[in-house]
Amino acid sequence: MIRILYTILFIVLLSLNSFATHERAGEITYKHINGLTYEVTIVTYTYSPSPADRPELEIKWGDGTYSILLRNSYADLTPVIRKNIYIGQHTYAGAATYIISMEDPNRNYGVINIPNSVNIPFYVETKLVINPFLGINNSVQLLNPPLDYGCVNKLYVHNPAAYDPDGDSLSYKLTICKGFNGQNIPGYTFPQASNSFHIDNISGDLVWDSPIQQGEYNVAFIVEEWRSGQLIGFVERDMQILIDACSNNPPEIFTINDTCLEAGDTLIFEVRTYDQDGDKITLTATGGPFIVSESPAILDPDPSVGYGADTALFYWETKCSHIRKSAYPAYFKAFDNSTPVSLTAYKTVNILVVGPAPENPVAVPLGNSIILSWDESTCQNATGYIIYRKPDFYGFQPGPCEVGVPEYTGYKKIADISGIENISYNDDNDGAGLNHGIVYCYMITAVFGNEAEGYASEEVCAQLKKDLPIITNVSVNSTDTETGSIYVAWSKPTEIDFTQTPGPFQYQVYRKSSEQGSDWTKVFTSAIDDTLYTDNNLNTKDFKYFYRIDFYNNDPPDNYFLIGSAVVAPSIYLTTEASDQKLTLHWNDDQPWINSQFVIYRQNPVTLDFDSIGYSTVPQYSDSGLINGKQYCYLIKSVGYYSAPGMVDPIINFSQEKCGKPVDNVAPCAPILTVTTNCELLNNNLIWIYPDTCTEEELIYYIYYAQNESSDFILIDSTVNNYLSFETNPPSIVGCFTVTALDSLWNQSLYSNVECVDIDECGRVWFPNVITPNSDGYNDYYHADSINSVQNFNITIFNRWGTIVYESEDPYFEWDGKDEKNGGDCSPGTYFFVATFAENSLTGLINREVKGSITLLKD
């Protein structure tokens, strides 16, 4: 009776397994609840007639724990397709990366590109990154279902309609469907196509051009979320595509391309559908604009139904709450009513909602600062502002989708302002003060909590009041260690407040050098109209010089006081960097005026005049094609200006003269190494080539060897040839090799590629099983073969009674079939041996013990 019950139970279980062909498609998504608690939703699509229904599923949370999730709901979409939803919550212990996964024992039967699919588990996973520095994250939501239909020899396109509620950037990539324990399914192949099968990594369009064979196919892809350049999570979808034979053509969708608009504006455009077969077309829409909580977009009508052709209207009245860094994808889907297969078309329109520009910016100079102010953002969800500055006017007019202030304008970000209510900024150049004579221009943008930046304000400019002298020249007249000379000039103040400072006025010129310990020294005093000074007896060869001009009200004794100081201006100091047939020139560009161009001069060795050899807009220039060891001398002329009106233009200044000699300090290129092994001689032949793209020169080569992968390389040889035959001691082929090249000045290249040879290259030590000591030259001696890097060798040969007839510690032993104790011939028959030894390998010594038998034969 018990045996009968077991038989019946076995038959029932076998039957259930045979019909448990239900999992078609699915994915796992999550949303943040609070703290470290997340709510996970598993959506699966199953073969509904299967008796192996799943009222519950096991989920692994990625932290070593799991739960059983009950099915919250299901819906039978067709007689053979059921949609199932499972929801559960989990609290994690802390910040980390977690892989949430679900595995179900069986897929549905007969998937073309999954061998024996009925016995392959269905597996999907999702990555959750909990990182307080990146903020709270909710997974992407896939709004189009993972079941779709196509026809043989017809272009198939699917889009999952991915929506990220946090506004993160999305990317897409194909992956292999997974089975048991999350492993790639053995034998899985992507669906065969007439032309190609791929997914667009930006739009998410899955394109199959075109299916070849009818049947059911499963494909998987990953939707990744990116925030601040870091991967913050992904959702893997495993979907099913059912391909049938039909003569139908899919409908088409025509509408606008990607667009953007300012928050508060309304976007209206037409969406037209067309079906060349004249079929009934149903147009639906989904995506971010349709599911935002405030003022969602509408499609009118929704759905839109027509025959052959139809037009619907998209309408979205945007709000400030819609502002975010990434665009909202609006997904349009059109499907026909053809039989036996209804075909579908997809169209995505990305809509960027941009924050408005701050209005009414004002810039007012005050002392050595400029005070900025502007109106509070009209969008109350702004979190602050960004201030940009440029020392001149640009005339920027942002394009329709050009947010922030682009780098090409020359504007630089100088401040982040937190709080929407903070609508002023004091620009004092981080405490250093702004420069007189410069027109400072500003643009302001509003920023929002999701790192979105709005349109830039109009440009607003101001300049400091010209109530102090402005240095225009610090130019080296002559270069010498003792009698060097520098010309200093300045522009006198023209906007003096005579009620506060009635005069007379006085300039006091101060100087210091770049020499360690140098301090400010007064070198000149002059009246208001005397704005030139030549500073002599300087070491302009070795040091850079700085000048400051203090401006005094000079009416002693009661009104003698310092009004202020001109911004410090340094001389141009040139240095050279020697290299092979080249000198690279460097100089400073830290003057208070704007240098627009530098002219490079090199001394003519015959006339001793300095001739122009080039131009640069940056403080660097490379003079190449020179002769190593020969001296070359240079100086730099800067051409600059102040952007405020009424200043001398152009402003010309010179550096000191600087000489240098190019020298060959450039290492040769690394050789390219190959290693071949001679297993008869047990050595390695190293051959290398020098790249054709590198400078041809006389070279010597260093050869380095490492005994194994954990050993350091040691220099073993050098050669002027491009080959080397090398063996270790004991004879071995094991080791790693690399080569360097050295030129005539001993500049050494980087290591070549590393080539390693392991013991298996020539086979491991092995022992034959026959000896025929009859002096015919064949098998007269018993010995080991493939002796390669053997150490600590020992072999013992004994007869069937255990009596030892031969022993040796020589890996190259030769047993002649005699008893080594008495020298007599051993009787024909079976003998046994035990050999112990160690072999070198790339991982170190490997100890082996080999046991076997030997048949001794005699004629």
Side-chain angles (χ1 to χ4, degrees):
M1 182 65 181
I2 294 177
R3 180 178 298 176
I4 294 174
L5 288 175
Y6 274 125
T7 301
I8 294 173
L9 179 60
F10 175 77
I11 293 172
V12 170
L13 292 175
L14 181 62
S15 175
L16 285 175
N17 184 63
S18 299
F19 287 96
T21 60
H22 63 295
E23 288 292 0
R24 292 180 177 271
E27 72 255 357
I28 305 170
T29 59
Y30 59 82
K31 66 179 181 179
H32 178 254
I33 302 300
N34 57 64
L36 296 173
T37 300
Y38 290 79
E39 182 177 276
V40 167
T41 299
I42 303 176
V43 177
T44 66
Y45 289 75
T46 57
Y47 179 70
S48 53
S50 170
D53 190 33
R54 291 289 188 266
E56 58 186 33
L57 285 176
E58 179 184 274
I59 186 169
K60 294 182 179 179
W61 298 106
D63 58 359
T65 66
Y66 67 92
S67 299
I68 302 299
L69 301 188
L70 298 178
R71 183 167 56 193
N72 289 64
S73 63
Y74 72 88
D76 288 330
L77 307 181
T78 73
V80 294
I81 298 175
R82 174 173 293 172
K83 178 181 179 181
N84 309 272
I85 298 177
Y86 309 80
I87 300 176
Q89 291 189 4
H90 185 68
T91 301
Y92 289 91
T97 297
Y98 303 97
I99 299 297
I100 306 169
S101 63
M102 182 276 291
E103 182 176 327
D104 197 335
N106 295 98
R107 295 174 178 267
N108 68 296
Y109 174 81
V111 178
I112 298 295
N113 59 328
I114 297 180
N116 194 27
S117 62
V118 66
N119 291 320
I120 300 297
F122 179 88
Y123 176 96
V124 287
E125 65 183 24
T126 289
K127 175 181 281 190
L128 165 65
V129 178
I130 302 179
N131 185 336
F133 298 103
L134 294 176
I136 299 301
N137 187 47
N138 299 278
S139 79
V140 65
Q141 305 294 314
L142 306 182
L143 305 179
N144 279 334
L147 275 173
D148 213 347
Y149 300 86
C151 287
V152 173
N153 297 323
K154 300 288 184 180
L155 177 68
Y156 168 85
V157 180
H158 170 85
N159 192 290
Y163 170 69
D164 190 277
D166 305 315
D168 296 319
S169 298
L170 304 181
S171 64
Y172 304 79
K173 62 182 182 182
L174 286 173
T175 187
I176 294 176
C177 291
K178 295 178 175 61
F180 174 72
N181 204 27
Q183 301 299 310
N184 292 340
I185 295 174
Y188 175 86
T189 58
F190 289 115
Q192 289 187 328
S194 299
N195 294 309
S196 65
F197 179 85
H198 67 276
I199 192 168
D200 188 296
N201 62 348
I202 301 299
S203 69
D205 283 345
L206 181 68
V207 180
W208 186 356
D209 184 16
S210 296
I212 295 175
Q213 180 182 354
Q214 299 182 53
E216 297 178 357
Y217 297 84
N218 271 73
V219 299
F221 55 86
I222 291 173
V223 186
E224 297 175 318
E225 304 171 71
W226 300 87
R227 183 180 302 173
S228 300
Q230 297 189 49
L231 180 66
I232 196 171
F234 69 67
V235 170
E236 178 191 35
R237 164 174 276 190
D238 190 325
M239 70 171 292
Q240 189 168 91
I241 308 169
L242 294 87
I243 301 298
D244 206 339
C246 71
S247 59
N248 186 26
N249 294 288
E252 297 177 84
I253 302 174
F254 303 94
T255 188
I256 66 169
N257 294 320
D258 298 345
T259 188
C260 57
L261 72 164
E262 185 176 302
D265 292 345
T266 299
L267 179 63
I268 303 173
F269 59 84
E270 289 184 342
V271 184
R272 295 183 295 111
T273 56
Y274 171 74
D275 189 286
Q276 63 177 297
D277 301 319
D279 294 329
K280 176 182 176 182
I281 314 169
T282 302
L283 175 70
T284 61
T286 187
F290 299 95
I291 59 178
V292 293
S293 57
E294 182 184 12
S295 185
I298 61 173
L299 182 69
D300 185 24
D302 185 15
S304 176
V305 180
Y307 289 85
D310 194 28
T311 299
L313 197 66
F314 174 92
Y315 178 92
W316 192 17
E317 184 181 344
T318 62
K319 303 294 182 182
C320 289
S321 61
H322 299 151
I323 299 169
R324 69 180 198 179
K325 188 175 183 179
S326 60
Y328 291 87
Y331 299 103
F332 300 96
K333 177 181 178 181
F335 56 93
D336 60 27
N337 68 337
S338 180
T339 57
V341 180
S342 170
L343 295 182
T344 305
Y346 296 88
K347 173 68 177 179
T348 304
V349 177
N350 292 297
I351 305 168
L352 181 66
V353 181
V354 183
E359 297 180 347
N360 301 316
V362 177
V364 178
L366 180 64
N368 64 353
S369 303
I370 292 178
I371 307 299
L372 289 175
S373 61
W374 58 92
D375 292 348
E376 184 175 303
S377 175
T378 56
C379 283
Q380 292 302 299
N381 58 331
T383 59
Y385 308 91
I386 296 177
I387 311 297
Y388 294 88
R389 183 184 71 201
K390 183 180 186 295
D392 207 351
F393 183 76
Y394 182 83
F396 176 61
Q397 295 293 329
C401 297
E402 198 168 23
V403 299
V405 178
E407 188 176 341
Y408 67 78
T409 63
Y411 273 83
K412 306 294 183 184
K413 184 172 77 169
I414 62 169
D416 289 289
I417 308 298
S418 297
I420 187 175
E421 71 284 355
N422 295 321
I423 53 174
S424 65
Y425 176 70
N426 177 24
D427 181 18
D428 61 358
N429 198 25
D430 291 329
L434 297 172
N435 294 346
H436 290 75
I438 300 293
V439 175
Y440 291 97
C441 296
Y442 301 87
M443 284 192 281
I444 307 158
T445 62
V447 292
F448 299 83
N450 51 22
E451 300 182 346
E453 191 173 359
Y455 286 125
S457 72
E458 63 178 341
E459 288 178 86
V460 59
C461 303
Q463 63 185 56
L464 301 184
K465 186 178 180 180
K466 194 180 178 184
D467 55 2
L468 290 173
I470 301 172
I471 299 176
T472 57
N473 295 89
V474 179
S475 184
V476 179
N477 283 338
S478 62
T479 302
D480 194 85
T481 57
E482 295 180 352
T483 61
S485 173
I486 292 180
Y487 166 75
V488 181
W490 58 93
S491 177
K492 67 181 182 181
T494 58
E495 299 179 66
I496 301 173
D497 185 352
F498 291 102
T499 61
Q500 299 293 324
T501 54
F505 303 101
Q506 183 186 85
Y507 303 115
Q508 294 184 9
V509 180
Y510 287 80
R511 177 198 71 213
K512 75 172 183 176
S513 75
S514 59
E515 184 178 11
Q516 187 173 2
S518 175
D519 203 355
W520 289 108
T521 302
K522 184 166 67 172
V523 294
F524 181 64
T525 300
S526 68
I528 185 70
D529 292 322
D530 191 357
T531 60
L532 305 175
Y533 171 66
T534 299
D535 198 9
N536 296 312
N537 301 319
L538 303 174
N539 182 0
T540 53
K541 181 179 180 180
D542 299 322
F543 301 114
K544 177 170 66 173
Y545 286 87
F546 304 84
Y547 290 87
R548 185 190 84 216
I549 300 176
D550 292 350
F551 187 48
Y552 282 88
N553 187 77
N554 190 27
D555 187 16
D558 296 332
N559 291 325
Y560 185 81
F561 62 87
L562 177 66
I563 300 172
S565 300
V567 175
V568 173
S571 62
I572 303 174
Y573 190 75
L574 173 63
T575 62
T576 60
E577 178 186 352
S579 187
D580 186 23
Q581 301 180 40
K582 181 174 70 174
L583 286 169
T584 301
L585 312 182
H586 303 272
W587 59 93
N588 56 302
D589 182 20
D590 52 355
Q591 290 78 20
W593 54 85
I594 302 167
N595 286 316
S596 57
Q597 187 183 72
F598 300 96
V599 184
I600 295 86
Y601 292 86
R602 185 175 69 199
Q603 190 177 44
N604 187 310
V606 177
T607 66
L608 300 183
D609 294 331
F610 280 87
D611 301 326
S612 171
I613 62 169
Y615 301 87
S616 177
T617 57
V618 296
Q620 179 176 310
Y621 182 83
S622 291
D623 190 16
S624 57
L626 307 179
I627 300 172
N628 287 339
K630 181 179 178 180
Q631 179 169 279
Y632 297 85
C633 297
Y634 304 85
L635 62 82
I636 305 298
K637 180 177 76 174
S638 68
V639 181
Y641 66 97
Y642 281 104
S643 56
M647 302 295 295
V648 60
D649 187 11
I651 296 173
I652 305 296
N653 288 278
F654 288 90
S655 73
Q656 93 286 11
E657 298 172 15
K658 179 65 176 179
C659 301
K661 296 179 181 180
V663 60
D664 185 1
N665 57 6
V666 177
C669 296
I672 301 172
L673 172 66
T674 58
V675 176
T676 58
T677 300
N678 187 320
C679 293
E680 291 185 7
L681 300 178
L682 290 181
N683 63 20
N684 293 298
N685 295 311
L686 283 63
I687 300 176
W688 53 90
I689 60 173
Y690 193 68
D692 294 337
T693 56
C694 299
T695 303
E696 186 175 348
E697 53 187 325
E698 295 293 328
L699 297 171
I700 187 173
Y701 298 98
Y702 279 2
I703 297 90
Y704 295 85
Y705 165 74
Q707 187 175 7
N708 52 58
E709 292 176 333
S710 61
S711 300
D712 294 329
F713 279 102
I714 59 173
L715 180 64
I716 58 169
D717 207 344
S718 63
T719 179
V720 295
N721 299 313
N722 62 348
Y723 64 89
L724 179 76
S725 181
F726 178 74
E727 66 180 36
T728 61
N729 188 19
S732 172
I733 50 92
V734 175
C736 295
F737 303 88
T738 187
V739 179
T740 62
L742 293 85
D743 63 18
S744 59
L745 294 179
W746 301 103
N747 297 308
Q748 187 171 12
S749 74
L750 298 174
Y751 287 115
S752 72
N753 53 301
V754 175
E755 294 293 323
C756 295
V757 181
D758 208 349
I759 190 171
D760 292 328
E761 183 70 21
C762 292
R764 309 292 290 275
V765 176
W766 67 279
F767 299 85
N769 57 11
V770 174
I771 177 176
T772 58
N774 55 7
S775 300
D776 64 354
Y778 297 98
N779 299 323
D780 289 333
Y781 297 94
Y782 182 78
H783 54 79
D785 286 332
S786 296
I787 303 296
N788 175 13
S789 190
V790 173
Q791 301 180 35
N792 305 323
F793 184 86
N794 182 274
I795 186 169
T796 302
I797 301 175
F798 49 91
N799 61 25
R800 58 181 176 174
W801 293 282
T803 301
I804 297 174
V805 298
Y806 180 81
E807 283 185 302
S808 179
E809 295 182 353
D810 181 3
Y812 297 98
F813 74 94
E814 291 185 335
W815 180 48
D816 57 3
K818 297 181 182 294
D819 188 329
E820 66 176 1
K821 291 181 180 179
N822 56 31
D825 292 335
C826 293
S827 302
T830 301
Y831 292 79
F832 303 90
F833 73 90
V834 176
T836 60
F837 50 90
E839 292 176 295
N840 280 333
S841 75
L842 289 180
T843 58
L845 282 177
I846 300 175
N847 293 312
R848 290 180 64 194
E849 181 183 72
V850 180
K851 298 179 180 179
S853 63
I854 307 167
T855 301
L856 192 156
L857 300 175
K858 289 188 177 180
D859 295 338

